[in-house]
Amino acid sequence: MTEITFVTADITEVDVDAVVNAANSTLLGGGGVDGAIHRKGGPEILAACKELRATDYPDGLPAGQAVATTAGRLPARWVIHTVGPTWAKTIDKSDVLASCYRESPRVADELGARTVAFPAISTGVYRWPMDDAARIAVGTVEATWTRVQEVRFVLFNQDAYQTFRAAHS
Ligand code: APR
């Protein structure tokens, strides 16, 4: 049974086996979590992402999918890059966001990662409402079988922490 925990922190500081990155499909970096992970993790991560683009993902990583690289200088051993959906009032992309929380643990199992830290995927630049993202994130992790022993949701402020905590039954 996977333990689900919540903490308010900078995800680049968290000491777990794998840190999940809220990436974009290019895998070539960006702002928010993506920018912080590449900045703190160093060039090794981008080099590994460019290698992925040159081999398995020539067209980029589709939204909802996940792929692992080294974590470079981060305390973690791996970064699991996943691409969340952008929020759209008229199109329900909930299943794509849920897929990020199913595929990342699946990749973690392939790696043998036993502790995994997630940010609040899609709730920043991609503008997904925090409460709905929390419901989908926590509900999907609760419903997904994985060998991961701890899933740690790492929130960037108290409001997000309260919202995610409240979504866990
Ligand atoms: N640690 C933990 N959480 C963080 C950190 C951090 N260092 N930095 C930002 N966050 C929070 C944000 O407050 C937000 O709640 O992570 C959540 C996700 O925000 P984004 O990083 O903007 O990710 P997302 O909304 O999925 O948008 C992805 O943004 O940075 C670009 O390259 C990225 O194009 C992609 C898009």
Side-chain angles (χ1 to χ4, degrees), residues 37-58:
I37 284 176
H38 281 279
R39 192 169 47 252
K40 296 272 190 70
E44 273 179 86
I45 300 177
L46 185 57
C49 288
K50 284 181 175 171
E51 182 57 25
L52 287 169
R53 287 299 311 276
T55 55
D56 304 343
Y57 296 95

Side-chain angles (χ1 to χ4, degrees), residues 1 8-9 18 24 26 33 36 38 57 59 61 68 70 79-80 87 103 105 109 115 125-126 129 131 146 159 163 169:
M1 191 60 199
T8 307
N24 61 59
T26 71
V33 171
H38 281 279
Y57 296 95
D59 302 324
L61 184 67
T70 173
V79 173
I80 296 175
W87 166 253
E103 285 302 300
D109 285 345
T115 55
V125 167
Y126 285 176
D131 54 348
T146 169
D159 282 355
T163 305
S169 46

Side-chain angles (χ1 to χ4, degrees), residues 9-11 22-24 29-34 36 120-126 130 156:
D10 175 341
I11 201 164
N24 61 59
V33 171
D34 202 4
I121 296 168
S122 288
T123 63
V125 167
Y126 285 176
M130 188 64 75
F156 214 34

Side-chain angles (χ1 to χ4, degrees), residues 6-10 14 153-162:
F6 304 84
V7 65
T8 307
D10 175 341
V14 166
F153 285 103
V154 181
L155 291 320
F156 214 34
N157 59 57
Q158 198 53 29
D159 282 355
Y161 173 89
Q162 295 297 345

